[in-house]
Amino acid sequence: ILEKTQKIDIQVNHMTSLLEDVLTIGKIENKKLKFEPKKLNLTEELKLMVEDVLIATTKTHKINFTFNDPKCQMISDDKILRNIFNNLLTNAVKFSPDASEVVFSLNADEKNVILKVIDKGIGIKPEELKDIFNPFRRGQNVETIQGTGLGLAIVKESIDLLKGRILVKSNIGKGTEFTVILPKKKIKK
């Protein structure tokens, strides 16, 4: 009974995630996703996101989170940031079935925060890189790995809403590196 309950719980979580992705894409397409900025300790917010992803992925991988500023302050929207990094970190784990670690780093300077998510997974074919941020696009090499093709579309639109940029490098069989560059809004004292 416990085993069946756990399987049901996993499927309920999968369906909930799918519905949240569809709702988020709908809000993005209808220009109803709102940017609600507030002062954040980004480092602490990201630590919480890492914990959430570890729990959601049943701790199959270690997420090695490094940062150059333990009290990195910025003005942003924590819900939008959560959408971005939950998707990127979950994908890094999901598409790295033979690896045990994902690298996640935060480097902040006066103007920007630069965040990287690096995995040692299956990678993305060069010819597919141009389409990865389009809804419902999935790589040909994902085989039986679950997904909808909405996550990276949500990531891209969310980053655009924050006036940031996203870069991607990938090698088949060696892994993928996403770099997110977000402007660091001035905090008024």
Side-chain angles (χ1 to χ4, degrees), residues 39-58:
K39 182 179 174 181
L40 300 172
N41 178 327
L42 184 62
T43 309
E44 291 303 316
E45 291 289 331
L46 294 174
K47 284 180 185 177
L48 293 173
M49 290 178 210
V50 167
E51 288 176 27
D52 289 347
V53 169
L54 286 172
I55 290 167
T57 59
T58 61

Side-chain angles (χ1 to χ4, degrees), residues 5-123:
T5 303
Q6 288 172 335
K7 285 182 181 180
I8 290 169
D9 190 45
I10 289 167
Q11 290 304 315
V12 166
N13 288 337
H14 178 66
M15 290 300 294
T16 301
S17 176
L18 174 65
L19 287 171
E20 286 173 0
D21 285 352
V22 169
L23 288 171
T24 301
I25 280 290
K27 285 180 183 178
I28 288 168
E29 288 176 351
N30 292 311
K31 308 277 190 243
K32 293 192 178 187
L33 187 64
K34 299 208 182 329
F35 175 54
E36 298 176 2
K38 62 182 176 183
K39 182 179 174 181
L40 300 172
N41 178 327
L42 184 62
T43 309
E44 291 303 316
E45 291 289 331
L46 294 174
K47 284 180 185 177
L48 293 173
M49 290 178 210
V50 167
E51 288 176 27
D52 289 347
V53 169
L54 286 172
I55 290 167
T57 59
T58 61
K59 298 186 180 182
T60 57
H61 292 63
K62 178 183 179 196
I63 299 177
N64 183 12
F65 178 47
T66 60
F67 44 88
N68 70 337
D69 182 355
K71 296 181 181 179
C72 178
Q73 301 283 314
M74 75 180 288
I75 304 290
S76 196
D77 185 312
D78 60 329
K79 290 180 186 144
I80 293 174
L81 289 171
R82 187 167 294 278
N83 269 340
I84 294 167
F85 293 105
N86 185 42
N87 271 301
L88 290 177
L89 290 169
T90 301
N91 279 356
V93 169
K94 185 168 44 171
F95 294 108
S96 299
D98 296 328
S100 60
E101 181 181 68
V102 169
V103 175
F104 183 33
S105 66
L106 161 65
N107 285 296
D109 60 29
E110 288 294 314
K111 294 182 181 179
N112 297 301
V113 292
I114 300 163
L115 301 118
K116 292 186 182 218
V117 176
I118 304 168
D119 68 53
K120 292 178 176 57
I122 63 173

Side-chain angles (χ1 to χ4, degrees), residues 150-167:
L150 293 174
L152 289 178
I154 291 169
V155 165
K156 175 71 169 92
E157 294 292 337
S158 297
I159 291 169
D160 288 348
L161 191 61
L162 298 178
K163 307 286 189 238
R165 295 182 298 139
I166 185 165
L167 310 168

